[in-house]
Coordinates of all heavy atoms in Angstrom, one line a residue:
C1 N -29.0 -9.4 9.9 CA -28.0 -8.8 10.9 C -28.7 -7.9 11.8 O -29.4 -6.9 11.4 CB -26.9 -8.1 10.1 SG -25.7 -7.3 11.2
I2 N -28.6 -8.1 13.1 CA -29.3 -7.3 14.2 C -28.2 -6.6 15.0 O -27.3 -7.3 15.6 CB -30.1 -8.2 15.1 CG1 -31.0 -9.1 14.4 CG2 -30.9 -7.3 16.0 CD1 -32.2 -8.5 13.6
L3 N -28.1 -5.3 14.9 CA -27.2 -4.5 15.8 C -28.0 -4.1 17.0 O -28.7 -3.1 17.0 CB -26.7 -3.3 15.0 CG -25.9 -3.6 13.7 CD1 -25.5 -2.2 13.1 CD2 -24.7 -4.4 14.0
K4 N -27.8 -4.9 18.1 CA -28.6 -4.7 19.3 C -27.8 -4.3 20.5 O -28.4 -4.0 21.6 CB -29.4 -6.0 19.6 CG -28.6 -7.2 19.8 CD -29.5 -8.4 20.1 CE -28.7 -9.7 20.3 NZ -28.0 -10.1 19.1
S5 N -26.5 -4.2 20.4 CA -25.7 -3.8 21.5 C -24.7 -2.7 21.1 O -24.3 -2.6 19.9 CB -25.0 -5.0 22.1 OG -23.9 -5.4 21.3
N6 N -24.2 -2.0 22.1 CA -23.2 -0.9 21.8 C -21.9 -1.5 21.3 O -21.3 -1.0 20.4 CB -22.9 -0.2 23.1 CG -24.1 0.6 23.6 OD1 -24.8 1.3 22.9 ND2 -24.4 0.5 24.9
K7 N -21.6 -2.7 21.8 CA -20.3 -3.4 21.4 C -20.4 -3.7 19.9 O -19.5 -3.5 19.2 CB -20.1 -4.6 22.3 CG -18.8 -5.3 21.9 CD -18.7 -6.6 22.7 CE -17.4 -7.4 22.3 NZ -17.2 -8.6 23.1
E8 N -21.6 -4.3 19.5 CA -21.7 -4.7 18.1 C -21.7 -3.5 17.2 O -21.1 -3.5 16.1 CB -23.1 -5.4 17.9 CG -23.1 -6.8 18.5 CD -24.5 -7.4 18.5 OE1 -25.5 -6.7 18.6 OE2 -24.6 -8.7 18.4
I9 N -22.3 -2.4 17.6 CA -22.4 -1.2 16.8 C -21.0 -0.6 16.6 O -20.5 -0.2 15.5 CB -23.4 -0.2 17.3 CG1 -24.8 -0.7 17.2 CG2 -23.2 1.2 16.6 CD1 -25.8 0.1 17.9
N10 N -20.3 -0.5 17.7 CA -18.9 0.0 17.7 C -18.0 -0.8 16.8 O -17.2 -0.2 16.0 CB -18.3 0.1 19.1 CG -19.0 1.2 20.0 OD1 -19.5 2.1 19.5 ND2 -18.9 1.0 21.3
E11 N -18.1 -2.1 16.8 CA -17.3 -3.0 16.0 C -17.6 -2.7 14.5 O -16.7 -2.7 13.7 CB -17.5 -4.4 16.4 CG -16.9 -4.8 17.7 CD -17.2 -6.2 18.1 OE1 -18.0 -6.9 17.4 OE2 -16.7 -6.7 19.1
V12 N -18.9 -2.6 14.2 CA -19.3 -2.3 12.8 C -18.8 -1.0 12.3 O -18.3 -0.9 11.2 CB -20.8 -2.5 12.7 CG1 -21.3 -1.9 11.4 CG2 -21.2 -3.9 12.9
I13 N -19.0 0.0 13.2 CA -18.6 1.4 12.8 C -17.1 1.5 12.5 O -16.7 2.1 11.5 CB -18.9 2.4 14.0 CG1 -20.4 2.5 14.2 CG2 -18.3 3.7 13.7 CD1 -21.2 3.2 13.1
E14 N -16.3 0.8 13.2 CA -14.9 0.8 13.0 C -14.5 0.2 11.6 O -13.5 0.7 11.0 CB -14.1 0.0 14.0 CG -14.1 0.7 15.4 CD -13.2 0.0 16.4 OE1 -12.1 -0.3 16.0 OE2 -13.6 -0.3 17.5
K15 N -15.3 -0.7 11.1 CA -15.0 -1.4 9.8 C -15.7 -0.8 8.6 O -15.4 -1.2 7.5 CB -15.3 -2.9 9.9 CG -14.6 -3.6 11.0 CD -15.1 -5.1 11.2 CE -14.3 -5.8 12.3 NZ -14.9 -7.2 12.5
T16 N -16.6 0.2 8.8 CA -17.4 0.7 7.8 C -16.7 1.9 7.1 O -16.3 2.8 7.7 CB -18.8 1.2 8.3 OG1 -19.5 0.1 8.9 CG2 -19.6 1.7 7.1
K17 N -16.5 1.8 5.8 CA -15.8 2.8 5.0 C -16.8 4.0 4.9 O -18.0 3.8 4.9 CB -15.4 2.3 3.6 CG -14.4 1.3 3.6 CD -14.1 0.8 2.2 CE -13.0 -0.3 2.2 NZ -12.7 -0.8 0.8
I18 N -16.2 5.2 4.8 CA -17.1 6.4 4.8 C -18.0 6.4 3.6 O -19.1 6.9 3.7 CB -16.2 7.7 4.9 CG1 -17.1 8.9 5.2 CG2 -15.4 7.9 3.6 CD1 -17.8 8.9 6.5
N19 N -17.6 5.9 2.5 CA -18.4 5.9 1.3 C -19.5 4.9 1.3 O -20.4 4.9 0.5 CB -17.6 5.7 0.0 CG -16.8 4.4 0.0 OD1 -15.9 4.2 0.9 ND2 -17.0 3.5 -0.9
D20 N -19.5 4.0 2.3 CA -20.6 3.0 2.5 C -21.6 3.5 3.5 O -22.6 2.7 3.8 CB -20.0 1.7 3.0 CG -19.2 0.9 1.9 OD1 -19.5 1.1 0.7 OD2 -18.3 0.2 2.3
V21 N -21.5 4.7 4.0 CA -22.5 5.2 4.9 C -23.6 5.9 4.1 O -23.4 6.6 3.2 CB -21.8 6.3 5.9 CG1 -22.9 6.9 6.8 CG2 -20.8 5.7 6.7
W22 N -24.8 5.5 4.5 CA -26.0 6.0 3.8 C -26.1 7.5 3.9 O -26.0 8.1 5.0 CB -27.3 5.4 4.5 CG -28.6 5.7 3.8 CD1 -28.9 5.7 2.5 CD2 -29.8 6.1 4.5 NE1 -30.2 6.0 2.3 CE2 -30.8 6.3 3.5 CE3 -30.1 6.3 5.8 CZ2 -32.0 6.7 3.8 CZ3 -31.4 6.7 6.1 CH2 -32.3 6.9 5.1
G23 N -26.2 8.2 2.8 CA -26.3 9.6 2.8 C -25.0 10.3 2.5 O -25.0 11.5 2.1
I24 N -23.9 9.6 2.5 CA -22.6 10.2 2.2 C -22.3 9.9 0.7 O -21.9 8.8 0.3 CB -21.4 9.6 3.0 CG1 -21.7 9.8 4.5 CG2 -20.1 10.2 2.6 CD1 -21.6 11.2 5.0
G25 N -22.6 10.8 -0.1 CA -22.5 10.6 -1.6 C -21.0 10.9 -2.0 O -20.1 11.0 -1.3
R26 N -20.9 10.9 -3.4 CA -19.6 11.0 -4.0 C -18.8 12.3 -3.6 O -17.7 12.2 -3.3 CB -19.7 10.9 -5.5 CG -18.5 10.7 -6.3 CD -18.7 10.4 -7.7 NE -19.5 9.2 -7.9 CZ -20.0 8.9 -9.1 NH1 -19.7 9.6 -10.2 NH2 -20.7 7.7 -9.3
Q27 N -19.5 13.4 -3.6 CA -18.9 14.7 -3.3 C -18.4 14.8 -1.9 O -17.3 15.2 -1.6 CB -19.8 15.8 -3.7 CG -20.1 16.0 -5.2 CD -18.8 16.1 -6.0 OE1 -17.9 16.8 -5.7 NE2 -18.8 15.4 -7.1
W28 N -19.3 14.3 -1.0 CA -18.9 14.4 0.5 C -17.8 13.4 0.7 O -17.0 13.6 1.6 CB -20.2 14.1 1.3 CG -21.0 15.3 1.6 CD1 -20.7 16.6 1.2 CD2 -22.1 15.4 2.4 NE1 -21.6 17.4 1.7 CE2 -22.6 16.7 2.4 CE3 -22.9 14.4 3.1 CZ2 -23.7 17.2 3.1 CZ3 -24.1 14.9 3.7 CH2 -24.4 16.2 3.7
T29 N -17.8 12.2 0.1 CA -16.7 11.3 0.2 C -15.4 11.9 -0.1 O -14.4 11.8 0.6 CB -17.0 10.0 -0.6 OG1 -18.2 9.3 -0.2 CG2 -15.8 9.0 -0.5
K30 N -15.4 12.6 -1.3 CA -14.1 13.2 -1.7 C -13.7 14.3 -0.7 O -12.5 14.4 -0.3 CB -14.3 13.9 -3.0 CG -14.5 13.0 -4.2 CD -14.6 13.7 -5.5 CE -14.8 12.8 -6.7 NZ -15.0 13.5 -8.0
F31 N -14.7 15.1 -0.2 CA -14.4 16.1 0.8 C -13.8 15.5 2.1 O -12.8 16.0 2.6 CB -15.6 16.9 1.1 CG -15.5 17.8 2.3 CD1 -14.8 19.0 2.2 CD2 -16.2 17.5 3.5 CE1 -14.7 19.8 3.4 CE2 -16.1 18.3 4.6 CZ -15.3 19.5 4.5
L32 N -14.5 14.5 2.6 CA -14.0 13.9 3.9 C -12.7 13.2 3.7 O -11.8 13.3 4.6 CB -15.1 12.9 4.4 CG -16.4 13.5 4.8 CD1 -17.5 12.5 5.0 CD2 -16.2 14.3 6.1
M33 N -12.5 12.5 2.6 CA -11.2 11.9 2.4 C -10.0 12.9 2.3 O -8.9 12.7 2.8 CB -11.2 11.0 1.1 CG -12.0 9.7 1.3 SD -11.9 8.7 -0.2 CE -12.7 7.2 0.5
K34 N -10.3 14.1 1.7 CA -9.3 15.2 1.7 C -9.0 15.6 3.1 O -7.9 16.1 3.4 CB -9.8 16.4 0.9 CG -9.8 16.1 -0.6 CD -10.2 17.4 -1.3 CE -10.2 17.2 -2.9 NZ -10.7 18.4 -3.6
N35 N -9.9 15.4 4.0 CA -9.7 15.8 5.5 C -9.3 14.6 6.3 O -9.5 14.6 7.5 CB -10.9 16.5 6.0 CG -11.1 17.9 5.5 OD1 -10.5 18.8 6.1 ND2 -11.9 18.0 4.4
N36 N -8.8 13.5 5.6 CA -8.3 12.3 6.3 C -9.4 11.5 7.1 O -9.1 10.9 8.1 CB -7.1 12.6 7.2 CG -5.9 13.1 6.4 OD1 -5.6 12.6 5.4 ND2 -5.3 14.2 6.9
I37 N -10.6 11.6 6.6 CA -11.7 10.8 7.2 C -12.1 9.7 6.2 O -12.7 10.0 5.2 CB -12.9 11.8 7.4 CG1 -12.6 13.0 8.2 CG2 -14.1 10.9 8.1 CD1 -12.0 12.7 9.6
F38 N -11.7 8.5 6.6 CA -11.9 7.4 5.7 C -12.9 6.3 6.2 O -13.4 5.5 5.5 CB -10.6 6.7 5.4 CG -9.5 7.6 4.8 CD1 -8.6 8.2 5.6 CD2 -9.5 7.8 3.4 CE1 -7.6 9.0 5.0 CE2 -8.6 8.6 2.9 CZ -7.7 9.2 3.6
T39 N -13.3 6.4 7.5 CA -14.2 5.4 8.1 C -15.3 6.1 8.8 O -15.2 7.3 9.2 CB -13.5 4.5 9.0 OG1 -13.0 5.2 10.2 CG2 -12.3 3.8 8.3
A40 N -16.4 5.4 9.1 CA -17.5 5.9 9.9 C -17.0 6.2 11.3 O -17.5 7.2 11.9 CB -18.6 4.9 9.9
K41 N -16.1 5.5 11.8 CA -15.5 5.8 13.2 C -14.9 7.1 13.2 O -15.1 7.9 14.1 CB -14.5 4.7 13.6 CG -13.7 5.0 14.9 CD -12.7 4.0 15.2 CE -11.9 4.3 16.4 NZ -10.9 3.3 16.7
E42 N -14.1 7.4 12.2 CA -13.4 8.7 12.2 C -14.4 9.9 12.0 O -14.2 11.0 12.5 CB -12.4 8.7 11.0 CG -11.2 7.8 11.3 CD -10.3 7.5 10.1 OE1 -10.8 7.7 8.9 OE2 -9.2 7.1 10.2
F43 N -15.5 9.6 11.3 CA -16.5 10.6 11.1 C -17.3 10.9 12.4 O -17.5 12.0 12.7 CB -17.5 10.1 10.0 CG -18.6 11.1 9.7 CD1 -18.3 12.3 9.1 CD2 -19.9 10.8 10.0 CE1 -19.3 13.2 8.8 CE2 -20.9 11.7 9.7 CZ -20.6 12.9 9.1

């Protein structure tokens, strides 16, 4: 999978869950979800 354009990246970001983002561990996932942040887009 090659993310080479802004359009492709934006589409992917919208569909990526916050807990699937590299570096966002269990504790940060809980914290962000408490603040209604569920996706990479919202982050």
